[in-house]
Amino acid sequence: MKEYTPEYLHHIRSIIASHDDESARRELADLHPADIAELYQELDLEEAEYLYKLLDDDVAADVLMELDEDDRRKLLSSMPAEEIAKQFIDHLDTDDAVDIIQELDEEDRDEILSHIDDVEQAGDIIDLLKYDEDTAGGLMGTEMIVVNENWSMPECIKQMRMQAEDLDEIYYVYVVDNDNKLHGILPLKKLITDPSVSKIKHVMEVDPVSVKADTPIDDVALDFEKYDLVAMPVVDSIGRLLGRITVDDVMDQVRESSERDYQLASGLSSDVETDDTLFTQTKARLPWLLIGMVGGIGNSLILRNFETGFAMDPALALFIPLIGGTGGNVGTQSSAIVVQGLANGSLDIKNSLKQLVKELGVGLINGCIISLLVFAYNYFFGGISMATTLSVSLSLMAVVLFASVFGTFVPLTLERFKIDPALATGPFISITNDIIGMVIYMGISTLLLMNLS
């Protein structure tokens, strides 16, 4: 990874200011596209545009894909549609080209597509734009090597050489029938060990792992992990080969999904970056802060209604943080386990009842241990009444049990209604557990104090 020191950035800026094209090209020639993209983040838009125009078209296209979405949008918005089509789209794989075009306004999309010289490529991009971006179809590319099962090995090799001229990477050779239905994969080893085979179908590996175009990205990622794939063919509902997905595309999607889930769990209502504006960051953070404020007011109203309990034993107030904190932690733990299970496929929504029963058992064990420890502390060292000691311990047990079940139930319910279950690992669980926990605590405490004092 290239480190850009203040001295190096000053050197680059001086080259740009003097419009020394030759020196700028020499500096860029030794950099990986990802490093160039990182360099652009340190420069202003005009400086980045100057360097961009000096890049080879293929390198420029690779750099564009390495830029984050906001920087990419700024750069593209400053360029005419024809230049975007000629310098970038023509030099990108169809899946990457679709990613770029999807970020633009519909009017800009049509104009860029009209400037693409390769009619076949333009047609492929238009076809891919029809798929939801969160499905296999929205992630796939059409660049791949495809051979017919009835071809002989010499004919197959000839066709492979012709198709390979337009490819940067070759992962698999896909074998189809006369109707373009996927039947197998041709191992490259067979090209060496069986060079005179009569037909490809006699040496191909049949029934390769494939995915339908409407399969959600999360399921695609699970298949890549399960079968240790570097690429996967995409087929339509009747098995015709449409394209392929590569592991790097899947990893990008998994990373983005993880970032979204982490921010959602942290109480951010939308995707934000550290360099976003004050307004953008405030808008993303404020909703859950307001909900938390409402929850806090709700707690204060609950406590006000139980002033009798505090009047009987003010020591009850000392354990409010313990009850609220324990309930929030237990609920977050339970929901995190469920969300992780749903994400990696180890938990099936059909097993909801089984998971609820398991969490109830875990909650019972944890609740017993915590309650007994707190009871022992209050009994020997707390210096409080037996009624309050029992109230705190019983309340802890009840809160832990409720939080365990609630933390499991909420993400499972959200998943059933096709809502991101990561929402359940954030402030929602903590706020709800705080409110319910206070109701449980004050209810049990008031009841015991009235009967035991």
Side-chain angles (χ1 to χ4, degrees):
M1 181 177 177
K2 180 75 174 178
E3 182 178 354
Y4 297 111
T5 62
E7 292 77 16
Y8 181 79
L9 292 174
H10 176 74
H11 171 62
I12 290 293
R13 287 193 170 100
S14 64
I15 292 176
I16 295 173
S18 61
H19 288 81
D20 187 349
D21 294 359
E22 193 60 35
S23 296
R25 287 192 179 95
R26 282 199 300 269
E27 293 289 342
L28 296 174
D30 297 330
L31 297 178
H32 187 276
D35 292 326
I36 298 176
E38 188 175 343
L39 172 61
Y40 285 177
Q41 294 177 358
E42 304 291 337
L43 305 173
D44 60 37
L45 184 58
E46 290 184 1
E47 292 170 335
E49 285 179 353
Y50 169 77
L51 293 181
Y52 227 107
K53 293 177 181 178
L54 301 177
L55 294 173
D56 172 85
D57 286 344
D58 289 330
V59 176
D62 291 337
V63 172
L64 186 71
M65 293 307 302
E66 296 291 345
L67 291 172
D68 66 47
E69 190 173 325
D70 289 337
D71 290 333
R72 188 162 56 229
R73 188 181 293 113
K74 291 176 184 177
L75 182 64
L76 293 176
S77 65
S78 66
M79 302 175 67
E82 184 174 3
E83 187 174 345
I84 294 175
K86 304 294 184 186
Q87 187 174 7
F88 300 129
I89 305 301
D90 282 347
H91 300 275
L92 289 171
D93 288 343
T94 50
D95 54 338
D96 291 333
V98 168
D99 290 340
I100 297 297
I101 293 176
Q102 281 178 332
E103 297 173 5
L104 305 174
D105 296 333
E106 189 170 346
E107 183 178 341
D108 295 330
R109 294 181 188 181
D110 295 338
E111 189 174 357
I112 290 172
L113 289 171
S114 68
H115 288 293
I116 298 177
D117 293 331
D118 190 337
V119 177
E120 184 177 352
Q121 183 193 25
D124 288 340
I125 292 174
I126 292 173
D127 289 339
L128 293 179
L129 285 170
K130 297 176 183 177
Y131 295 104
D132 190 308
E133 61 181 327
D134 293 326
T135 64
L139 196 62
M140 72 179 179
T142 57
E143 292 80 12
M144 55 187 171
I145 292 184
V146 183
V147 298
N148 190 287
E149 64 180 356
N150 296 312
W151 288 351
S152 65
M153 188 65 78
E155 184 179 4
C156 175
I157 294 174
K158 178 183 177 181
Q159 291 293 331
M160 287 175 58
R161 286 172 177 167
M162 293 172 58
Q163 296 178 39
E165 291 179 359
D166 299 324
L167 300 181
D168 294 328
E169 300 285 348
I170 299 175
Y171 297 98
Y172 297 107
V173 177
Y174 299 111
V175 183
V176 298
D177 63 11
N178 294 330
D179 295 321
N180 201 43
K181 290 184 178 180
L182 180 66
H183 277 201
I185 291 177
L186 176 63
L188 296 180
K189 179 181 178 180
K190 295 295 183 180
L191 298 175
I192 301 172
T193 58
D194 295 296
S196 59
V197 67
S198 59
K199 289 185 178 180
I200 297 300
K201 63 182 178 183
H202 298 315
V203 293
M204 70 180 183
E205 294 181 358
V206 297
D207 299 327
V209 177
S210 63
V211 64
K212 291 185 178 180
D214 59 355
T215 303
I217 289 298
D218 291 342
D219 293 342
V220 175
L222 292 176
D223 283 342
F224 266 87
E225 180 182 12
K226 179 178 181 180
Y227 298 107
D228 293 326
L229 301 172
V230 294
M232 184 188 295
V234 181
V235 299
D236 63 12
S237 57
I238 60 174
R240 291 176 299 188
L241 182 62
L242 299 175
R244 56 92 189 104
I245 299 175
T246 57
V247 66
D248 57 323
D249 296 325
V250 172
M251 292 307 299
D252 288 341
Q253 290 294 323
V254 169
R255 176 181 56 80
E256 292 177 6
S257 178
S258 298
E259 290 175 353
R260 285 196 301 269
D261 288 349
Y262 179 77
Q263 292 195 342
L264 192 61
S266 301
L268 298 175
S269 59
S270 61
D271 188 20
V272 292
E273 302 289 344
T274 54
D275 57 354
D276 283 339
T277 63
L278 286 172
F279 176 75
T280 300
Q281 293 205 24
T282 301
K283 186 173 66 173
R285 299 182 188 191
L286 189 58
W288 275 112
L289 293 177
L290 292 176
I291 294 173
M293 180 195 71
V294 172
I297 293 174
N299 263 337
S300 66
L301 293 175
I302 292 170
L303 295 176
R304 178 185 297 177
N305 290 328
F306 287 98
E307 289 179 349
T308 304
F310 291 119
M312 287 187 288
D313 191 346
L316 287 175
L318 299 176
F319 298 95
I320 290 176
L322 173 64
I323 299 295
T326 303
N329 288 337
V330 171
T332 300
Q333 288 177 347
S334 298
S335 60
I337 291 173
V338 174
V339 170
Q340 182 181 9
L342 293 171
N344 62 29
S346 61
L347 175 61
D348 193 329
I349 192 68
K350 298 175 183 177
N351 297 327
S352 299
L353 182 59
K354 180 180 178 182
Q355 185 64 26
L356 281 169
V357 172
K358 179 185 291 186
E359 279 299 320
L360 185 62
V362 172
L364 185 62
I365 295 172
N366 287 336
C368 286
I369 294 173
I370 294 173
S371 297
L372 287 173
L373 289 174
V374 171
F375 180 87
Y377 170 79
N378 284 335
Y379 183 79
F380 292 107
F381 308 107
I384 58 178
S385 68
M386 178 56 68
T388 300
T389 299
L390 287 173
S391 297
V392 173
S393 296
L394 291 175
S395 297
L396 269 176
M397 170 67 78
V399 167
V400 169
L401 287 175
F402 169 80
S404 297
V405 174
F406 187 72
T408 303
F409 175 77
V410 171
L412 289 173
T413 302
L414 293 176
E415 176 72 11
R416 188 175 295 277
F417 286 99
K418 307 300 181 184
I419 301 173
D420 193 340
L423 178 67
T425 61
F428 178 75
I429 287 290
S430 298
I431 294 169
T432 305
N433 280 330
D434 276 348
I435 294 174
I436 302 299
M438 283 303 100
V439 172
I440 293 173
Y441 177 44
M442 298 313 302
I444 292 176
S445 298
T446 302
L447 182 64
L448 287 179
L449 287 172
M450 290 179 64
N451 288 278
L452 297 180
S453 296

